[in-house]
Amino acid sequence: EMLAPVGPRKAARTAGDEEPAPAADTPRVEPDDGASKEAAGEPAGTGVAEPKRAPRRASKFSKIAEQVEKRRTAKGNTLDTARRAWAGFVAAEGIRDELDKANKDGYVERQQFLGRVDQRTYERSRGQGR
């Protein structure tokens, strides 16, 4: 009952039911596929030619929003600015080799080493339990 269609039921068509033929003086309208209009430069599916509209002028708000967006993308955020400044300083001073040497046993390398030690310890403990 819940899935039954709502609204009036339409009578089913039988073989004897036919649509009335159009009157002789009524022009017959063919379905339009849009190909002829597209060839003529008109958009398909429009039954009536639409008047050409002048392009919309940009509002003052949209102009200001564009300027703000351009300034924001050119300026970048704080992290990008600091990263560029640090890279420029390192290049200007020529201290890349010293930084690499000083960071030889840095935090990331230490964490990777400790992870490898933990993995080997775990594997050994599993192997001895058998």
Side-chain angles (χ1 to χ4, degrees):
E1 292 177 334
M2 292 179 64
L3 299 176
V6 179
R9 293 182 173 237
K10 293 183 179 180
R13 293 185 118 185
T14 61
D17 292 341
E18 292 183 18
E19 291 183 19
D25 60 340
T26 306
R28 183 176 174 153
V29 177
E30 295 291 327
D32 185 23
D33 63 351
S36 61
K37 289 185 179 183
E38 288 177 3
E42 296 180 24
T46 60
V48 178
E50 295 181 19
K52 293 183 180 180
R53 295 183 182 178
R56 256 186 150 168
R57 289 187 344 180
S59 67
K60 290 179 182 178
F61 177 76
S62 64
K63 289 179 183 178
I64 293 171
E66 284 179 23
Q67 291 174 352
V68 169
E69 187 64 29
K70 285 180 184 176
R71 190 175 301 147
R72 182 183 309 160
T73 56
K75 185 177 178 182
N77 61 21
T78 305
L79 293 176
D80 290 337
T81 305
R83 189 175 296 126
R84 277 188 257 120
W86 176 250
F89 174 77
V90 169
E93 296 294 320
I95 58 174
R96 171 57 53 199
D97 293 333
E98 293 176 34
L99 289 173
D100 290 340
K101 189 182 289 185
N103 194 26
K104 180 181 177 186
D105 293 325
Y107 177 78
V108 174
E109 288 82 9
R110 220 173 296 139
Q111 293 302 316
Q112 290 173 345
F113 171 76
L114 291 174
R116 289 191 305 267
V117 169
D118 285 343
Q119 182 67 27
R120 274 190 248 136
T121 305
Y122 174 74
E123 289 173 359
R124 285 184 184 164
S125 67
R126 288 192 62 191
Q128 289 178 355
R130 289 184 179 183

